[in-house]
Amino acid sequence: VYETAIDDLLRIAATPAAVAPVSDGSDGPSYALLLVAAISLMILGVAALTNTLWRRPETEELEALAWSDGLTGLANRRRLDHDLDAGHADGPTSVIMIDVDHFKGVNDAYGHQAGDDILKRLGILFAHHVRSDDVVYRYGGEEFCVLLPGADVDEAHSVADRIVAAARDVNLPNGANVTVSVGVAGAIGDELIEAIEQADRAMYLAKQQGRDRAVIAVGQSDVD
C-alpha cells in the first residue's frame, strides 16, 4: 500500500492540477493538491511503520515455534534437519542419542499425561547438563539428540555420563528412577548424518548392556 501511495504521489506531481490557483486572491501558486497527497503519504508511512513494529514480535514468535518442540520446548526434528543441512565447521562435532528406557511401559502403566510430564522434566535436565554451545533436540517420541560442536568423542562421552546421571533424578509415580540409554559418536565436518546413525547404534548397544549407561560407537574410542 505504501509503495502504491508513492506511485500515486509521483503521478499527481506530474500533472498540471498539482499546482492550483490561490483562492485567497494572492498572486502566488498553491500546491494544495500536492500537499494533501504528501500528508496522506506521511500518514500511510506512519501506519506502515506501526504495523511492522507490531507484527515483528508476532512473526519472531511464530518462527521460534516452528523450530521448537511443542511439548518440551527443545529444538525439534525440523530444526535438527535444518542444522544438519547447514553444515558445521571442519573441526570435530559429536552426537549424543538418548532413549528413555521402558517408556512404553510408563505410558501403559500411568497414562500418556504422566509420560509427557516425564519427557518435559527430562528435557529441562538435559538442557542444563550440556555445554553452553550444545543444542538438545527432541528427536521423536522418547528419543532426544544432542549436537556438540567442537567436542571430540571423549568429551561428548563425559557430557553423556552427566545426562545419564541427571535422568535418575526424575522419578516415576511409583517412586522408581527414570533411566536412559545413550549412544555417542564423533564426526569431522559434514559426516554428522553418519555420526547420528552410529550414535543410534551405540544407544541400542547400551540397552543390550543393561541400560542406564552411555556407550561410545564401536571403533571410535577405547572408552566404554
Side-chain angles (χ1 to χ4, degrees):
V1 172
Y2 189 66
E3 291 175 352
T4 301
I6 292 177
D7 292 339
D8 290 342
L9 178 60
L10 292 175
R11 281 196 295 271
I12 291 171
T15 62
V19 181
V22 177
S23 59
D24 60 1
S26 64
D27 295 330
S30 171
Y31 296 90
L33 185 57
L34 190 58
L35 180 60
V36 170
I39 293 174
S40 300
L41 181 61
M42 182 167 54
I43 293 173
L44 280 171
V46 172
L49 178 60
T50 302
N51 183 63
T52 299
L53 294 176
W54 178 77
R55 290 182 60 84
R56 184 177 298 168
E58 180 184 80
T59 301
E60 292 174 351
E61 181 179 356
L62 290 174
E63 290 175 352
L65 289 173
W67 298 114
S68 300
D69 174 60
L71 177 65
T72 64
L74 299 172
N76 59 16
R77 180 67 177 272
R78 180 185 178 192
R79 165 75 185 276
L80 175 62
D81 293 339
H82 173 271
D83 290 349
L84 292 175
D85 289 340
H88 290 75
D90 294 333
T93 297
S94 291
V95 177
I96 294 174
M97 292 295 295
I98 307 162
D99 186 80
V100 183
D101 296 327
H102 304 298
F103 189 73
K104 183 179 183 300
V106 173
N107 281 333
D108 291 344
Y110 307 111
H112 288 278
Q113 183 59 54
D116 287 348
D117 290 341
I118 288 172
L119 292 177
K120 291 177 186 178
R121 294 170 63 189
L122 287 173
I124 294 171
L125 284 174
F126 295 161
H128 285 169
H129 286 81
V130 298
R131 307 171 313 155
S132 59
D133 293 336
D134 300 339
V135 183
V136 184
Y137 308 82
R138 185 177 178 204
Y139 194 73
E142 68 272 23
E143 285 190 81
F144 299 83
C145 176
V146 186
L147 291 187
L148 302 91
D152 61 28
V153 70
D154 292 324
E155 185 176 3
H157 186 256
S158 297
V159 175
D161 281 339
R162 295 202 299 267
I163 287 173
V164 171
R168 300 186 193 114
D169 292 335
V170 178
N171 294 325
L172 298 174
N174 66 357
N177 295 333
V178 172
T179 64
V180 295
S181 297
V182 180
V184 183
I188 300 293
D190 295 329
E191 301 173 356
L192 280 175
I193 294 178
E194 181 181 352
I196 288 177
E197 295 172 354
Q198 292 175 328
D200 196 60
R201 290 194 292 269
M203 179 184 72
Y204 283 100
L205 182 59
K207 289 186 177 296
Q208 293 173 8
Q209 293 181 1
R211 298 181 171 85
D212 189 27
R213 68 192 65 211
V215 172
I216 293 178
V218 174
Q220 293 210 353
S221 174
D222 293 333
V223 180
D224 274 337

